[in-house]
Structures are given as structure tokens and as C-alpha cells.
Amino acid sequence: MSRIPDSVSFSLDMRSQKPETLDDMRALLKSEMKEIERDRRVRFELGEELRVEPALCDRGLVAGLEEAMRQVGQEPFVMPSGGGHDAAVFAAAGVPSAMVFVRNRNGSHNPQEAMEIDDFLAGVDILSAFLARAE
């Protein structure tokens, strides 16, 4: 634990619904890296930046999913994802999109988020209520 490594590799994932916020974060990061390089006599070697513009979910679909959650007895919870899910690809192509998140050990970034059958059924209930309202 006391050994100082010759090099360290890592990636940083910055997400926001606003491109301006991402631009501000990039500028802040570069400024902080320059200061760290100067103060600590280290060097950052940046790889290629992968930049993806934010994809926004359709407000009408999100509102419909919120109502479906209420209808099945769930407390509505809305959060921006920022991830590159299929919905982001659809949204970028102009297809109205929204998502229902269900924790999943194999699909999550946190292996402790194991899906229980009740989690799956809650997601199915929400989608079913949403689709029933659309008829």
C-alpha cells in the first residue's frame, strides 16, 4: 500500500443533460489537471476523448410512465440517465423515448444491485399500466 506507482490509468465519465455543463466540466478538469501537474510534478497523458451529446427523454412519455407508477402504487422517481442506452440512440434519431430502470446485477455498474423477481415484476407492472393507458 505504500508503493508509489509509476503510472495510473483511469477513465472519467461525466454526464449531464446540458451540453454547456459538460463543456464547463471539461474546462474545469483541464484547469485542475494543469494545477496538479505543476504542484505535484506529475503528468497527465490524455487518450482520445469520447464525446456523446446528451439525449433527452420525451417529456410526454416520462409523464405517462410517472402516472403509470402512481397507478400501480409506486412512488414516481425520475432521474436523468446520461447513459448510452438504446433509448439515447432512438432519441438522437428523433424517436420519442423514455426508460424504466430495473436494478440488474448483469446490467448495472454496481454488482450489488442484484435484481429480485419483485423488481422485475414492478417494472412489468409499470409498463403494462403505461401501455393500457395508451390504448
Side-chain angles (χ1 to χ4, degrees), residues 5-129:
D6 295 333
S7 66
V8 175
S9 297
F10 66 95
S11 64
L12 178 63
D13 186 358
M14 295 185 295
R15 298 180 182 191
S16 176
Q17 297 292 291
K18 297 178 181 177
E20 303 82 23
T21 300
L22 293 172
D23 291 338
D24 290 346
M25 286 302 298
R26 282 183 190 91
L28 176 63
L29 180 63
K30 288 178 182 177
S31 171
E32 291 293 320
M33 288 183 342
K34 284 181 184 177
E35 185 175 327
I36 292 168
E37 284 179 329
R38 184 186 66 242
D39 293 349
R40 299 188 181 259
R41 297 185 187 120
V42 296
R43 184 179 66 217
F44 287 95
E45 294 179 3
L46 301 180
E48 181 182 348
E49 179 181 339
L50 302 175
R51 182 179 179 135
V52 177
E53 294 301 317
L56 302 178
C57 288
D58 181 84
R59 291 180 189 204
L61 291 177
V62 171
L65 288 170
E66 283 182 275
E67 182 54 36
M69 288 182 78
R70 281 187 202 89
Q71 187 177 338
V72 300
Q74 302 256 352
E75 181 69 29
F77 178 78
V78 176
M79 67 177 193
S81 166
H85 303 278
D86 292 345
V89 176
F90 288 128
V95 178
S97 303
M99 294 183 284
V100 174
F101 285 92
V102 176
R103 64 183 177 158
N104 176 356
R105 180 188 329 250
N106 296 320
S108 174
H109 301 284
N110 182 347
Q112 295 181 350
E113 291 183 341
M115 180 181 68
E116 303 292 332
I117 192 66
D118 287 343
D119 300 322
F120 175 76
L121 293 174
V124 170
D125 287 344
I126 294 164
L127 290 175
S128 178

